[in-house]
Amino acid sequence: MGIRCRSLTVTVRKRLSIIGAQVAVIQSLRRFLNNRSLTLFLFFWIVYGVTTNVRNGREYNLQQMGVDAIVVHHTFAVGLSPLPILQPRGDVFSYGGRILAAKQPGQFFWGAIPYFLLHAAGITYEKHYDLSASLVTWFSAGLFAAVALVLLDRMMGRFWGFSSRACLLATLATGFASYWFAYAGVAHHDVLAASLLVGGLYAIEGNRVHFQSRNPGLAFRAGTLLGLVIFTSMLPALIVAVVGVYVLATLPFRTALWCGGGFLVGLLPLFAYDGYYFGSPFVPANVAGNFSDTFWSPGWGLAANHLNAYFGTSGISLWKYAPAEVPAFGGLFLLPRRLRYLLVAAVTVHLVYLIGISTLGGCQYGPRYLLPLLPLLAPGLAGLFDFRPVARPWIGVLAVYGFFVSAVGALEGTMYCTPAKFALWPEMAA
């Protein structure tokens, strides 16, 4: 009898231990899911990974060429691989006996980091091109895009005072109801640079809120991120300039100096690249290659044409690809004065630049040159959600439509080379 009692006691203890372990796991999972930032990050990053497709990896072969050149050939010169898919098709030029990309080198650098590890593990372009290109994309553009959205959500709620629901809805609209969704599946310089820009703003505003703008280390990191934006893409350069003016005008002078020092450090890789390949740290790739389509040469006819292209009836109109972002422009004027001045100035300067250059961006899914503005418009959406309740259902309808269009672009690819025609129908037909 005593033996049976002891056996029963042991059995009960084991079962209680198992139940206790199960409860602990459930509690840990609950705490994990209650971490909004972590949950948002995983949600965005996993969805971006699931929708990363091989078509983008094959058609944006220049991005993968640059990655392969760094990791395998230890150079930024492309065209050295024997693989046909890693041979140049465009956006390159010859200089000093090398074939170089007419792009900023940063996008290749960010992709080279995951590919270095993949290559060491035996996952290479030669053996598994589609898998390698997709993983490089997911661990560079997809990762950056997901982190930027989490920082955007935190910045709007913790630093800028919007309601939790408004921050979440504005972040989801940016991440899924705009073509940010489509480009998160491309190892592309514009989404990488825009993500770094969000990181720089987050560091500046976090310094302001938590340290009264007197933390030199955080200011230095903010400046470094802004410098790396230029290292990655020249498209948001004027937005970075506006942020620089904002830093000088609103931060203590010593903090601004630390931020400026970090900015120079962030530019050092670009200076080294330009100095080594083009003979001067101040000669960028588009100048060395004589690509003048991004040089500012304004005219009334050009401005009218570009405004119609971006906001009118053209095939790349923002209304057709991400209509929920259009009212966000008006929502910026509902924001507190300091934030309103920053974002309106950044948006305006970028638009003035875009309507004064000859190119509209070539092959693209949506108005790609407006992509750096998408996270800057999110506070405008949050402002509408918080301060103009009547706009909520209309924005919701526009966001659902935008999600459908962006999901098609993410699944089918963004290399659409007939921008005069709305890409949705051909992509759906394909």
Side-chain angles (χ1 to χ4, degrees), residues 24 44 69 96 113 133 149 219 223 236 279 341 350 384:
F44 281 121
I113 295 173
L149 290 170
Y341 286 169
H350 188 69
L384 290 172

Side-chain angles (χ1 to χ4, degrees), residues 147-201:
V147 170
L149 290 170
V150 171
L151 295 180
L152 182 65
D153 176 69
R154 292 168 62 95
M155 182 161 53
M156 288 191 294
R158 300 186 181 190
F159 304 158
W160 293 341
F162 296 106
S163 69
S164 177
R165 183 172 66 171
C167 295
L168 179 61
L169 292 174
T171 303
L172 290 173
T174 303
F176 288 131
S178 77
Y179 50 99
W180 183 276
F181 183 12
Y183 277 94
V186 184
H188 201 277
H189 49 94
D190 291 337
V191 72
L192 289 165
S195 300
L196 290 166
L197 177 64
V198 173
L201 275 175

Side-chain angles (χ1 to χ4, degrees), residues 177 319 322-327 381 384-385 388-402:
W319 280 107
E325 300 297 327
V326 178
L381 282 177
L384 290 172
F385 283 126
R388 294 293 185 271
V390 68
R392 293 173 188 169
W394 299 105
I395 295 174
V397 171
L398 295 176
V400 170
Y401 164 82

Side-chain angles (χ1 to χ4, degrees), residues 55 365 404-405 407-409 412 416 422-430:
R55 182 180 173 188
Y365 191 82
F404 175 73
V405 176
V408 170
E412 190 59 30
Y416 181 74
F422 185 29
L424 178 64
W425 313 123
E427 294 281 84
M428 288 180 63

Side-chain angles (χ1 to χ4, degrees), residues 11-365:
T11 301
V12 170
R13 286 177 178 173
K14 286 182 178 180
R15 290 182 178 178
L16 288 175
S17 176
I18 292 171
I19 293 172
Q22 291 173 338
V23 170
V25 169
I26 292 172
Q27 290 176 342
S28 298
L29 181 62
R30 187 173 296 170
R31 286 194 296 270
F32 173 79
L33 293 176
N34 284 337
N35 187 325
R36 170 166 162 160
S37 295
L38 182 58
T39 304
L40 267 180
F41 164 71
L42 290 175
F43 180 53
F44 281 121
W45 194 41
I46 290 171
V47 173
Y48 291 161
V50 169
T51 54
T52 297
N53 65 80
V54 297
R55 182 180 173 188
N56 279 331
R58 294 171 184 174
E59 294 183 336
Y60 288 90
N61 72 324
L62 178 61
Q63 279 67 21
Q64 309 300 330
M65 261 190 287
V67 170
D68 177 74
I70 294 173
V71 175
V72 178
H73 305 287
H74 312 299
T75 178
F76 280 91
V78 298
L80 301 177
S81 172
L83 285 181
I85 199 169
L86 291 179
Q87 294 303 307
R89 300 172 186 167
D91 285 340
V92 298
F93 63 98
S94 295
Y95 195 97
R98 304 181 181 94
I99 300 176
L100 297 165
K103 307 289 183 184
Q104 297 295 81
Q107 64 175 334
F108 309 126
F109 175 81
W110 302 121
I113 295 173
Y115 187 59
F116 177 82
L117 300 176
L118 292 169
H119 192 273
I123 303 174
T124 67
Y125 291 125
E126 289 78 12
K127 295 179 181 178
H128 316 280
Y129 177 81
D130 289 334
L131 176 62
S132 299
S134 297
L135 289 174
V136 165
T137 299
W138 190 39
F139 280 95
S140 58
L143 180 64
F144 277 45
V147 170
L149 290 170
V150 171
L151 295 180
L152 182 65
D153 176 69
R154 292 168 62 95
M155 182 161 53
M156 288 191 294
R158 300 186 181 190
F159 304 158
W160 293 341
F162 296 106
S163 69
S164 177
R165 183 172 66 171
C167 295
L168 179 61
L169 292 174
T171 303
L172 290 173
T174 303
F176 288 131
S178 77
Y179 50 99
W180 183 276
F181 183 12
Y183 277 94
V186 184
H188 201 277
H189 49 94
D190 291 337
V191 72
L192 289 165
S195 300
L196 290 166
L197 177 64
V198 173
L201 275 175
Y202 183 85
I204 291 169
E205 295 303 287
N207 197 353
R208 182 188 306 279
V209 171
H210 295 302
F211 302 100
Q212 292 76 49
S213 299
R214 299 186 183 280
N215 186 315
L218 202 52
F220 187 85
R221 288 194 288 274
T224 302
L225 287 169
L226 294 174
L228 291 174
V229 171
I230 310 299
F231 173 56
T232 306
S233 174
M234 284 298 292
L235 180 62
L238 291 180
I239 299 177
V240 172
V242 170
V243 175
V245 173
Y246 173 72
V247 165
L248 289 171
T250 62
L251 269 60
F253 182 68
R254 178 174 291 184
T255 304
L257 283 180
W258 278 102
C259 192
F263 180 68
L264 291 176
V265 169
L267 287 177
L268 284 179
L270 178 61
F271 289 158
Y273 173 84
D274 291 341
Y276 181 80
Y277 287 103
F278 308 131
S280 169
F282 305 109
V283 177
N286 61 334
V287 173
N290 197 28
F291 290 85
S292 59
D293 57 348
T294 57
F295 295 164
W296 199 58
S297 54
W300 291 113
L302 184 67
N305 175 268
H306 282 25
L307 285 172
N308 176 65
Y310 291 127
F311 303 106
T313 59
S314 81
I316 61 168
S317 173
L318 192 64
W319 280 107
K320 296 181 178 180
Y321 289 90
E325 300 297 327
V326 178
F329 284 91
L332 295 179
F333 292 93
L334 302 175
L335 306 181
R337 185 172 61 181
R338 177 178 57 80
L339 184 58
R340 180 172 73 244
Y341 286 169
L342 167 64
L343 297 180
V344 169
V347 169
T348 301
V349 167
H350 188 69
L351 289 177
V352 168
Y353 166 69
L354 292 186
I355 64 175
I357 61 177
S358 61
T359 179
L360 289 169
C363 299
Q364 58 193 307
Y365 191 82

